Amino acid sequence: MSPTVIKDVPKQLFIAGAWQDAESGRTLAVDDPATGEELCLVADASPADGRRAVEAAVAAQSSWAATPPRVRSEILRRAYDIIVSRTEELALLMTLEMGKPLDQARGEVAYAAEFFRWFSEEAVRVDGGMTTAPDGKNRLMVLRQPVGPCLLITPWNFPLAMGTRKIGPAVAAGCTMVLKPAPQTPLSTLALAAILTEAGLPDGVLNVVVTSDAAGVVEPMLRGGQIRKLSFTGSTQVGKILLAQCADKVVRASMELGGNAPVIIFDDADLDVAVEGTMHAKMRNMGEACTAANRIFVHSSLAEEFAARLADRMEALTVGVGTEPGIDVGPLIDDTGRGKVHQLVLDAVRHGAKLVTGGELPDGPGCFYPPTVLTGITAESAIAQTEIFGPVAALRTFGDEDEVVAAANATDWGLVSYVFTRDLDRALRVSERLESGMVGLNTGLVSNPAAPFGGVKQSGLGREGGRAGMDGFLEYKYIAIPTGN
Ligand code: NAP
């Protein structure tokens, strides 16, 4: 029998303020990755439903843009309060559809809610300007206006926070939206749409389409000429396809894509801090995070001790069903995700890596994978150039600073890097040389709603969160005013 949280969440598409079935009547199943059992069925949108959602967003755009910023701000603030007051229900829902342990799901609920609080504060601070032209003959007035109807696409790994990180600034800026969540984890998004309605969001401002046909539903939206902006979080591979589709109608695009994060542990690092930070960077969300530690470079003088201490910590973690108490590591999202992780481990071992702990596929139901530590990773193994997306720590050694900076930068990705050192000069020098949008300095956690989150190279375009988070949803408009003198 489904828990109450599953029964309570809406299971239909949300278009123009109305919950409705897909036109085709089709549904898709949402499964629990810890048991493989079906949790419920959700309406499965077709391209026709997608078109209706876009039309609803377009119809609501001008009145929403004209809504006073304070009103928009207070809707976000009320939604923040509701989310916080329902932390337990939302966390349980997320654990059931995605697998992360309840404690981490509670953490994500708090993180997700904070985007609404942050952007409720930004909504009333959108600025413009008025200056005198250099020749003194014109006044130059600059406004910032909403870009217009947006398409938001989110992945399954942070089902609530990836939605609020986009909806928050879109609401604050006065944009309407169509949101397409990942089909594995639509329930958190549907619950969020219900909360925003309760908080007073007008009909048509947020529309949600869940679909098993992402390509078929999204492409006509991007090529249709009515969507003005795409905000995508997901893999680099899909991001490139969508950028090409955006080119057709010059749709503005923000991209939060994959990572291949280096962790660098210098010989002067505080080892306790480095082990703790690496655990956070590696094991948050079972390693299924774009910010996850992917390549761990340890100075050769510390390598043995660091590997032993990390392996002890990994072995002490409890793997199991995320809804049960005391669980540190839940299942991976599905069999495909788990199979990919296991293949990367086998390939690394074939290329000479040593398995210190883990690395064996467990029997039984659920997509579980044991916390794993590998040492002696070579640059040629696939794991050195592939986002692992699982609880596998891949260690290799280095000798000096130039060598490790070059190795860390030898990748097409550039989302986040982590540096552990007690030398302030080195900390700043290396942080500036690393080709990534973010650096964690003596910490394994960088995500913060008040900070500009995002990557360089093939990890993305634009930033989400912080003051910069508004930029992608606003356009400049310049008005020339001749003054005659
Ligand atoms: P994904 O396969 O790229 O999917 C992301 C979203 O795009 C899903 O909603 C997916 O729906 C949709 N999608 C897939 N193909 C599409 C297409 N042709 N047209 C339109 N939409 C399409 O990524 P994922 O496996 O869900 O998520 C993991 C990836 O996200 C990792 O690479 C991770 O690093 C990245 N990520 C990045 C950040 C960041 O902030 N930089 C944050 C979280 C995750 P379907 O599942 O139905 O295909």
PDB file of all heavy atoms in Angstrom, residues 264-284:
ATOM      1  N   ILE A 264      42.077  18.099  -4.637  1.00  0.00           N
ATOM      2  CA  ILE A 264      43.545  18.116  -4.543  1.00  0.00           C
ATOM      3  C   ILE A 264      43.939  18.219  -3.074  1.00  0.00           C
ATOM      4  O   ILE A 264      43.554  19.178  -2.389  1.00  0.00           O
ATOM      5  CB  ILE A 264      44.132  19.306  -5.335  1.00  0.00           C
ATOM      6  CG1 ILE A 264      43.635  19.265  -6.783  1.00  0.00           C
ATOM      7  CG2 ILE A 264      45.646  19.293  -5.272  1.00  0.00           C
ATOM      8  CD1 ILE A 264      44.073  20.464  -7.620  1.00  0.00           C
ATOM      9  N   ILE A 265      44.685  17.242  -2.611  1.00  0.00           N
ATOM     10  CA  ILE A 265      45.095  17.237  -1.202  1.00  0.00           C
ATOM     11  C   ILE A 265      46.610  17.419  -1.156  1.00  0.00           C
ATOM     12  O   ILE A 265      47.378  16.507  -1.518  1.00  0.00           O
ATOM     13  CB  ILE A 265      44.633  15.936  -0.523  1.00  0.00           C
ATOM     14  CG1 ILE A 265      43.093  15.916  -0.555  1.00  0.00           C
ATOM     15  CG2 ILE A 265      45.133  15.868   0.916  1.00  0.00           C
ATOM     16  CD1 ILE A 265      42.504  14.578  -0.566  1.00  0.00           C
ATOM     17  N   PHE A 266      47.022  18.649  -0.787  1.00  0.00           N
ATOM     18  CA  PHE A 266      48.451  18.968  -0.760  1.00  0.00           C
ATOM     19  C   PHE A 266      49.105  18.378   0.497  1.00  0.00           C
ATOM     20  O   PHE A 266      48.416  18.025   1.476  1.00  0.00           O
ATOM     21  CB  PHE A 266      48.644  20.494  -0.823  1.00  0.00           C
ATOM     22  CG  PHE A 266      48.433  21.047  -2.202  1.00  0.00           C
ATOM     23  CD1 PHE A 266      47.259  21.722  -2.533  1.00  0.00           C
ATOM     24  CD2 PHE A 266      49.399  20.870  -3.188  1.00  0.00           C
ATOM     25  CE1 PHE A 266      47.056  22.218  -3.806  1.00  0.00           C
ATOM     26  CE2 PHE A 266      49.206  21.369  -4.476  1.00  0.00           C
ATOM     27  CZ  PHE A 266      48.028  22.051  -4.786  1.00  0.00           C
ATOM     28  N   ASP A 267      50.445  18.339   0.472  1.00  0.00           N
ATOM     29  CA  ASP A 267      51.169  17.708   1.593  1.00  0.00           C
ATOM     30  C   ASP A 267      51.036  18.506   2.895  1.00  0.00           C
ATOM     31  O   ASP A 267      51.257  17.963   3.971  1.00  0.00           O
ATOM     32  CB  ASP A 267      52.654  17.499   1.244  1.00  0.00           C
ATOM     33  CG  ASP A 267      53.314  18.743   0.693  1.00  0.00           C
ATOM     34  OD1 ASP A 267      52.607  19.753   0.476  1.00  0.00           O
ATOM     35  OD2 ASP A 267      54.543  18.721   0.473  1.00  0.00           O
ATOM     36  N   ASP A 268      50.613  19.794   2.788  1.00  0.00           N
ATOM     37  CA  ASP A 268      50.452  20.587   4.008  1.00  0.00           C
ATOM     38  C   ASP A 268      48.987  20.633   4.465  1.00  0.00           C
ATOM     39  O   ASP A 268      48.613  21.451   5.308  1.00  0.00           O
ATOM     40  CB  ASP A 268      50.977  22.009   3.784  1.00  0.00           C
ATOM     41  CG  ASP A 268      50.273  22.691   2.622  1.00  0.00           C
ATOM     42  OD1 ASP A 268      49.245  22.162   2.155  1.00  0.00           O
ATOM     43  OD2 ASP A 268      50.749  23.740   2.158  1.00  0.00           O
ATOM     44  N   ALA A 269      48.147  19.769   3.897  1.00  0.00           N
ATOM     45  CA  ALA A 269      46.721  19.782   4.276  1.00  0.00           C
ATOM     46  C   ALA A 269      46.532  19.244   5.693  1.00  0.00           C
ATOM     47  O   ALA A 269      47.324  18.415   6.159  1.00  0.00           O
ATOM     48  CB  ALA A 269      45.925  18.920   3.299  1.00  0.00           C
ATOM     49  N   ASP A 270      45.497  19.716   6.342  1.00  0.00           N
ATOM     50  CA  ASP A 270      45.060  19.104   7.602  1.00  0.00           C
ATOM     51  C   ASP A 270      44.318  17.826   7.208  1.00  0.00           C
ATOM     52  O   ASP A 270      43.244  17.894   6.580  1.00  0.00           O
ATOM     53  CB  ASP A 270      44.135  20.094   8.340  1.00  0.00           C
ATOM     54  CG  ASP A 270      43.583  19.525   9.633  1.00  0.00           C
ATOM     55  OD1 ASP A 270      43.341  18.298   9.686  1.00  0.00           O
ATOM     56  OD2 ASP A 270      43.380  20.306  10.579  1.00  0.00           O
ATOM     57  N   LEU A 271      44.867  16.688   7.566  1.00  0.00           N
ATOM     58  CA  LEU A 271      44.331  15.429   7.052  1.00  0.00           C
ATOM     59  C   LEU A 271      42.902  15.148   7.540  1.00  0.00           C
ATOM     60  O   LEU A 271      42.083  14.605   6.800  1.00  0.00           O
ATOM     61  CB  LEU A 271      45.267  14.270   7.428  1.00  0.00           C
ATOM     62  CG  LEU A 271      45.340  13.139   6.407  1.00  0.00           C
ATOM     63  CD1 LEU A 271      45.616  13.634   5.008  1.00  0.00           C
ATOM     64  CD2 LEU A 271      46.399  12.126   6.824  1.00  0.00           C
ATOM     65  N   ASP A 272      42.610  15.552   8.780  1.00  0.00           N
ATOM     66  CA  ASP A 272      41.235  15.359   9.282  1.00  0.00           C
ATOM     67  C   ASP A 272      40.249  16.137   8.407  1.00  0.00           C
ATOM     68  O   ASP A 272      39.192  15.630   8.018  1.00  0.00           O
ATOM     69  CB  ASP A 272      41.104  15.879  10.731  1.00  0.00           C
ATOM     70  CG  ASP A 272      41.863  15.000  11.706  1.00  0.00           C
ATOM     71  OD1 ASP A 272      42.091  13.820  11.378  1.00  0.00           O
ATOM     72  OD2 ASP A 272      42.244  15.512  12.779  1.00  0.00           O
ATOM     73  N   VAL A 273      40.621  17.389   8.128  1.00  0.00           N
ATOM     74  CA  VAL A 273      39.750  18.243   7.310  1.00  0.00           C
ATOM     75  C   VAL A 273      39.636  17.667   5.897  1.00  0.00           C
ATOM     76  O   VAL A 273      38.549  17.637   5.304  1.00  0.00           O
ATOM     77  CB  VAL A 273      40.307  19.691   7.280  1.00  0.00           C
ATOM     78  CG1 VAL A 273      39.554  20.558   6.280  1.00  0.00           C
ATOM     79  CG2 VAL A 273      40.266  20.309   8.674  1.00  0.00           C
ATOM     80  N   ALA A 274      40.756  17.172   5.364  1.00  0.00           N
ATOM     81  CA  ALA A 274      40.757  16.653   3.986  1.00  0.00           C
ATOM     82  C   ALA A 274      39.907  15.383   3.875  1.00  0.00           C
ATOM     83  O   ALA A 274      39.156  15.209   2.903  1.00  0.00           O
ATOM     84  CB  ALA A 274      42.190  16.383   3.539  1.00  0.00           C
ATOM     85  N   VAL A 275      39.990  14.511   4.880  1.00  0.00           N
ATOM     86  CA  VAL A 275      39.190  13.274   4.825  1.00  0.00           C
ATOM     87  C   VAL A 275      37.708  13.628   4.953  1.00  0.00           C
ATOM     88  O   VAL A 275      36.866  13.156   4.177  1.00  0.00           O
ATOM     89  CB  VAL A 275      39.622  12.285   5.942  1.00  0.00           C
ATOM     90  CG1 VAL A 275      38.648  11.115   6.028  1.00  0.00           C
ATOM     91  CG2 VAL A 275      41.036  11.779   5.681  1.00  0.00           C
ATOM     92  N   GLU A 276      37.406  14.507   5.906  1.00  0.00           N
ATOM     93  CA  GLU A 276      36.005  14.910   6.111  1.00  0.00           C
ATOM     94  C   GLU A 276      35.455  15.584   4.840  1.00  0.00           C
ATOM     95  O   GLU A 276      34.349  15.275   4.379  1.00  0.00           O
ATOM     96  CB  GLU A 276      35.958  15.891   7.303  1.00  0.00           C
ATOM     97  CG  GLU A 276      34.580  16.299   7.764  1.00  0.00           C
ATOM     98  CD  GLU A 276      33.793  15.136   8.345  1.00  0.00           C
ATOM     99  OE1 GLU A 276      34.407  14.155   8.799  1.00  0.00           O
ATOM    100  OE2 GLU A 276      32.547  15.217   8.306  1.00  0.00           O
ATOM    101  N   GLY A 277      36.240  16.508   4.293  1.00  0.00           N
ATOM    102  CA  GLY A 277      35.793  17.238   3.097  1.00  0.00           C
ATOM    103  C   GLY A 277      35.610  16.301   1.916  1.00  0.00           C
ATOM    104  O   GLY A 277      34.650  16.425   1.144  1.00  0.00           O
ATOM    105  N   THR A 278      36.509  15.348   1.761  1.00  0.00           N
ATOM    106  CA  THR A 278      36.396  14.406   0.643  1.00  0.00           C
ATOM    107  C   THR A 278      35.151  13.525   0.818  1.00  0.00           C
ATOM    108  O   THR A 278      34.442  13.229  -0.154  1.00  0.00           O
ATOM    109  CB  THR A 278      37.665  13.536   0.533  1.00  0.00           C
ATOM    110  OG1 THR A 278      38.793  14.404   0.433  1.00  0.00           O
ATOM    111  CG2 THR A 278      37.628  12.628  -0.677  1.00  0.00           C
ATOM    112  N   MET A 279      34.885  13.136   2.058  1.00  0.00           N
ATOM    113  CA  MET A 279      33.664  12.344   2.307  1.00  0.00           C
ATOM    114  C   MET A 279      32.419  13.130   1.882  1.00  0.00           C
ATOM    115  O   MET A 279      31.528  12.586   1.228  1.00  0.00           O
ATOM    116  CB  MET A 279      33.552  11.976   3.797  1.00  0.00           C
ATOM    117  CG  MET A 279      34.501  10.882   4.231  1.00  0.00           C
ATOM    118  SD  MET A 279      34.226   9.300   3.403  1.00  0.00           S
ATOM    119  CE  MET A 279      32.664   8.780   4.107  1.00  0.00           C
ATOM    120  N   HIS A 280      32.376  14.409   2.263  1.00  0.00           N
ATOM    121  CA  HIS A 280      31.215  15.217   1.859  1.00  0.00           C
ATOM    122  C   HIS A 280      31.130  15.321   0.344  1.00  0.00           C
ATOM    123  O   HIS A 280      30.067  15.140  -0.250  1.00  0.00           O
ATOM    124  CB  HIS A 280      31.326  16.634   2.436  1.00  0.00           C
ATOM    125  CG  HIS A 280      30.933  16.715   3.871  1.00  0.00           C
ATOM    126  ND1 HIS A 280      31.597  17.500   4.775  1.00  0.00           N
ATOM    127  CD2 HIS A 280      29.949  16.107   4.558  1.00  0.00           C
ATOM    128  CE1 HIS A 280      31.032  17.363   5.960  1.00  0.00           C
ATOM    129  NE2 HIS A 280      30.031  16.525   5.855  1.00  0.00           N
ATOM    130  N   ALA A 281      32.276  15.648  -0.271  1.00  0.00           N
ATOM    131  CA  ALA A 281      32.268  15.883  -1.720  1.00  0.00           C
ATOM    132  C   ALA A 281      31.947  14.596  -2.478  1.00  0.00           C
ATOM    133  O   ALA A 281      31.391  14.633  -3.566  1.00  0.00           O
ATOM    134  CB  ALA A 281      33.617  16.443  -2.174  1.00  0.00           C
ATOM    135  N   LYS A 282      32.322  13.457  -1.903  1.00  0.00           N
ATOM    136  CA  LYS A 282      32.094  12.184  -2.600  1.00  0.00           C
ATOM    137  C   LYS A 282      30.723  11.590  -2.298  1.00  0.00           C
ATOM    138  O   LYS A 282      30.029  11.114  -3.184  1.00  0.00           O
ATOM    139  CB  LYS A 282      33.181  11.185  -2.191  1.00  0.00           C
ATOM    140  CG  LYS A 282      33.117   9.835  -2.854  1.00  0.00           C
ATOM    141  CD  LYS A 282      33.471   9.878  -4.316  1.00  0.00           C
ATOM    142  CE  LYS A 282      32.291   9.784  -5.254  1.00  0.00           C
ATOM    143  NZ  LYS A 282      32.680   9.814  -6.665  1.00  0.00           N
ATOM    144  N   MET A 283      30.321  11.622  -1.036  1.00  0.00           N
ATOM    145  CA  MET A 283      29.193  10.791  -0.628  1.00  0.00           C
ATOM    146  C   MET A 283      27.848  11.501  -0.518  1.00  0.00           C
ATOM    147  O   MET A 283      26.822  10.855  -0.310  1.00  0.00           O
ATOM    148  CB  MET A 283      29.518  10.070   0.674  1.00  0.00           C
ATOM    149  CG  MET A 283      30.649   9.063   0.504  1.00  0.00           C
ATOM    150  SD  MET A 283      30.361   7.882  -0.851  1.00  0.00           S
ATOM    151  CE  MET A 283      28.989   6.947  -0.178  1.00  0.00           C
ATOM    152  N   ARG A 284      27.837  12.847  -0.623  1.00  0.00           N
ATOM    153  CA  ARG A 284      26.540  13.520  -0.631  1.00  0.00           C
ATOM    154  C   ARG A 284      25.727  12.944  -1.793  1.00  0.00           C
ATOM    155  O   ARG A 284      26.254  12.780  -2.902  1.00  0.00           O
ATOM    156  CB  ARG A 284      26.789  15.021  -0.836  1.00  0.00           C
ATOM    157  CG  ARG A 284      25.547  15.849  -0.942  1.00  0.00           C
ATOM    158  CD  ARG A 284      25.915  17.326  -0.903  1.00  0.00           C
ATOM    159  NE  ARG A 284      24.770  18.168  -1.117  1.00  0.00           N
ATOM    160  CZ  ARG A 284      24.680  19.062  -2.103  1.00  0.00           C
ATOM    161  NH1 ARG A 284      25.690  19.239  -2.931  1.00  0.00           N
ATOM    162  NH2 ARG A 284      23.609  19.798  -2.228  1.00  0.00           N
TER     163      ARG A 284
END
